[in-house]
Amino acid sequence: MYETNTRPSDLVKDDLPDVDAGSTLPTEEEVLEAMKDVVDPELMVNVVDLGLVYGASVDDEGNVTLDMTLTSPTCPLTDKIEYDTKYVLDGLAKSVTINWVWLPPWSLEMITDDGREQLRAVGYNL
């Protein structure tokens, strides 16, 4: 019935789908969704809903560049936000570069409706 040189794994023939090399690149939407796990340590709201992420781009190699700002140029927790950003994008992006930008300056109008709800939940009145 079986040849003596046949291994059980030789009997299984899986038809695996072809993997498109381009499908492993993250989309801007995936990057922004992952960035919702980065929380501003002072306001306890994610940086996307606070309006701190001005833009995200992904190159052909999977490197992510973020244009971000802070609620204040003198924010003492910049290193924490950088660390958390690189942590949440690890595995999704090949590398992460943050361009800290100050124009336009951040303002309360940049907070999303979800961000406003999150701020109200932690006691801020907007």
Side-chain angles (χ1 to χ4, degrees):
M1 181 162 143
Y2 295 110
E3 293 181 26
T4 56
N5 295 339
T6 303
R7 300 179 316 205
S9 60
D10 292 336
L11 301 173
V12 178
K13 302 292 181 198
D14 288 331
D15 292 325
L16 299 175
D18 292 333
V19 177
D20 178 18
S23 67
T24 60
L25 295 177
T27 64
E28 180 180 338
E29 293 78 22
E30 290 172 326
V31 169
L32 293 175
E33 188 63 33
M35 288 298 294
K36 288 184 178 182
D37 288 337
V38 178
V39 174
D40 181 284
E42 293 177 311
L43 297 175
M44 302 309 295
V45 174
N46 74 72
V47 295
V48 173
D49 287 325
L50 274 178
L52 300 179
V53 180
Y54 286 180
S57 63
V58 182
D59 70 14
D60 293 340
E61 296 177 8
N63 301 302
V64 171
T65 302
L66 296 166
D67 291 333
M68 292 181 63
T69 195
L70 298 167
T71 57
S72 165
T74 60
C75 177
L77 299 167
T78 305
D79 291 343
K80 171 81 169 122
I81 293 173
E82 284 181 359
Y83 175 84
D84 290 350
T85 296
K86 290 179 181 184
Y87 181 80
V88 301
L89 295 178
D90 184 42
L92 187 64
K94 182 177 178 182
S95 70
V96 177
T97 301
I98 300 174
N99 291 327
W100 293 109
V101 295
W102 307 109
L103 293 174
W106 180 84
S107 67
L108 294 175
E109 290 78 33
M110 295 176 170
I111 304 173
T112 67
D113 290 339
D114 286 344
R116 292 175 188 281
E117 283 300 314
Q118 292 171 53
L119 283 168
R120 285 185 196 103
V122 293
Y124 288 95
N125 186 15
L126 296 177

